[in-house]
Amino acid sequence: MKILIYTNLFHPDEIAGASLYTDMARFFRDQGHDVRVVGTFGYYPDWCLRPEDRGQWVREDVFESIPVKRVKMWVPAKPTGLTRMLSDFSFFLSIWISGRFRGWSPDVILTAEPMLSQCLVQRFLYPFKKIPRLIIVQDFVVDAALELGILKLPLISHGLRWMERWALRSARTLTSISEPMVEKLRGIVGAGRRLLYIPNWIHVSLEEEIQRQGDGAPRASGVLFYSGNVGMKQGLPQFLADFETAGSAGWSIRIHGGGANIDTLREAAAEKEFIALGDLLDEPEYVRALQEVSACLITQQPGVSANFLPSKLLPALAAGTPVLAVCDADSPLGREVAEGQCGAIVAPGDVDALKSVLETWSSNPDQLAALGRNARRHAEKFSRGNILSRFESELSALAQ
């Protein structure tokens, strides 16, 4: 089967979708498929191109025997709602003009939202060939941007939502990563499409690194750990203020991140002794940190509804690390933590509840240990082999 993957995030980027879609391409290659990737040059999460990629328009690479075609995407120095939209549009144009492999035609195409451009452009690629498509909805980008104020253009909100629906309906099969998101997707695309719940998976290099390191030393007491993208969706600066108001109950926070709002976070963390702020970690250091700390912190702004499920949840589960989920209880994150009984859920801004959880965990380390065991057990739901085999089966059915 000839599989073409469109993704803005791919190796050498290493977090969020980049690790997943790089791993997916490897899996399809190992199953004997002819898989190729069209993407852009590495830029995430720092929103900065590497020096060797600046000025490049199109380049064909080979990553671990997988052909990769990289096309230009404008990367703004300071991402805002408007500049992100322009960046997305630039990627649309580049894919439309250069996003094919000459002399090679796929049997099936796979792409993903939140990058709307790579879904929308499917309406214009291969116009004379009915190539079936599968879209993975990781994030309802339009709703998230409008509801969180990332994109402050209410006058065109109706047009953006229509465009998103039109883009998603270019696919015959669509999947999403939580059951509430599938239900929301059903309301967007309507009837006539195959809609499936297929969660994200624990990618192979992370799984192997966790196995290599083993259980490690006993966990530190009173340490929360956050690692990953720092943007508006996470609301970390506000959480730090709530954490300080709660009196921190003898806890500290270790943050390793990058992204559009990292400077805002640095300002919020300045001169606060209970916060250690550092750069993103490589995978071995990341796994070691997950196994050293008391709990993994995952934050979301209130009101995100069923728009996304943070990718940082799965590594915490795989490492057996309890989760402090600061989110709405009915969000995909809140539901997943409740289902797995692998942590505590605190509503954003609820200082009393936050203080109560931290005090309980401090006085009852056995409870934390039990949550960690539950986390590891819940991680089995996200087995790489099972989930990627499901994608392979769906693509095969589409191709036939």
Side-chain angles (χ1 to χ4, degrees):
M1 182 166 50
K2 294 187 288 185
I3 304 170
L4 179 54
I5 299 174
Y6 286 93
T7 173
N8 63 308
L9 297 176
F10 196 76
H11 180 86
D13 293 336
E14 295 180 339
I15 70 170
S19 59
L20 292 177
Y21 295 113
T22 303
D23 192 43
M24 174 181 271
R26 286 187 180 116
F27 177 86
F28 291 151
R29 175 206 62 196
D30 292 343
Q31 301 309 305
H33 301 295
D34 180 0
V35 57
R36 303 191 182 195
V37 176
V38 172
T40 189
F41 301 92
Y43 72 98
Y44 192 80
D46 293 327
W47 286 82
C48 181
L49 290 170
R50 292 167 172 78
E52 64 270 22
D53 295 331
R54 293 169 190 164
Q56 298 269 341
W57 285 91
V58 180
R59 189 175 73 219
E60 294 197 17
D61 297 334
V62 176
F63 169 73
E64 296 183 5
S65 77
I66 300 166
V68 180
K69 189 169 191 178
R70 303 186 189 276
V71 298
K72 177 74 172 179
M73 184 180 82
W74 176 62
V75 179
K78 292 185 177 181
T80 64
L82 180 59
T83 59
R84 287 182 190 214
M85 189 166 67
L86 294 174
S87 176
D88 209 332
F89 182 65
S90 75
F91 194 40
F92 170 90
L93 291 176
S94 293
I95 296 175
W96 188 17
I97 295 168
S98 306
R100 304 170 187 82
F101 286 90
R102 183 172 296 180
W104 183 87
S105 181
D107 298 322
V108 66
I109 292 171
L110 181 146
T111 190
E113 192 181 32
M115 203 66 172
L116 183 58
S117 56
Q118 60 199 24
C119 299
L120 180 62
V121 78
Q122 301 306 321
R123 288 287 188 180
F124 304 93
L125 292 171
Y126 301 101
F128 305 111
K129 298 179 181 179
K130 292 184 178 180
I131 298 174
R133 292 163 169 85
L134 185 151
I135 291 178
I136 303 171
V137 179
Q138 298 274 0
D139 187 333
F140 292 100
V141 61
V142 173
D143 280 356
L146 292 170
E147 291 170 10
L148 294 174
I150 298 171
L151 189 62
K152 298 179 180 179
L153 296 170
L155 295 179
I156 65 169
S157 61
H158 180 75
L160 287 173
R161 287 190 168 103
W162 178 90
M163 186 182 298
E164 180 183 46
R165 179 178 185 271
W166 192 59
L168 294 178
R169 285 179 63 85
S170 67
R172 196 178 300 172
T173 298
L174 299 101
T175 74
S176 197
I177 59 176
S178 76
E179 291 175 347
M181 292 175 72
V182 172
E183 288 308 308
K184 179 168 182 171
L185 182 60
R186 195 181 310 279
I188 292 174
V189 302
R193 300 291 183 276
R194 180 168 167 79
L195 303 182
L196 301 167
Y197 163 53
I198 305 181
N200 284 335
W201 62 97
I202 297 164
H203 59 271
V204 66
S205 62
L206 177 70
E207 191 175 64
E208 290 175 348
E209 185 61 35
I210 289 171
Q211 291 174 354
R212 189 188 69 81
Q213 292 195 25
D215 290 335
R219 294 182 178 274
S221 60
V223 180
L224 295 176
F225 174 64
Y226 179 97
S227 179
N229 185 47
V230 178
M232 285 190 66
K233 291 190 299 187
Q234 290 76 28
L236 268 175
Q238 181 57 50
F239 174 78
L240 296 185
D242 293 341
F243 184 83
E244 189 170 25
T245 302
S248 70
W251 286 70
S252 62
I253 309 177
R254 180 179 170 188
I255 300 175
H256 291 269
N261 277 29
I262 190 65
D263 290 337
T264 303
L265 181 64
R266 288 193 181 105
E267 292 175 8
E271 299 181 3
K272 290 182 171 60
E273 295 182 357
F274 58 84
I275 299 171
L277 186 57
D279 296 330
L280 285 168
L281 303 171
D282 63 24
E283 197 155 81
E285 293 173 326
Y286 176 45
V287 169
R288 190 174 302 113
L290 279 172
Q291 295 184 333
E292 288 174 349
V293 298
S294 310
C296 179
L297 171 67
I298 306 177
T299 60
Q300 286 184 345
Q301 289 271 36
V304 297
S305 184
N307 287 332
F308 59 91
L309 175 66
S311 60
K312 58 180 70 66
L313 173 65
L314 270 57
L317 299 180
T321 306
V323 175
L324 176 59
V326 181
C327 63
D328 295 333
D330 63 349
S331 68
L333 173 60
R335 293 188 185 195
E336 204 66 59
V337 172
E339 178 189 331
Q341 299 180 17
C342 53
I345 304 159
V346 174
D350 191 339
V351 174
D352 292 338
L354 174 62
K355 183 176 182 179
S356 175
V357 167
L358 295 178
E359 288 177 346
T360 299
W361 283 358
S362 293
S363 61
N364 191 354
D366 288 344
Q367 183 184 102
L368 269 178
L371 293 173
R373 290 191 294 272
N374 291 346
R376 188 157 281 158
R377 186 163 51 248
H378 195 53
E380 296 171 5
K381 173 181 175 180
F382 306 101
S383 161
R384 175 185 188 257
N386 291 339
I387 291 170
L388 289 179
S389 292
R390 288 187 65 190
F391 277 114
E392 183 186 24
S393 295
E394 291 298 327
L395 292 175
S396 179
L398 283 172
Q400 294 172 15

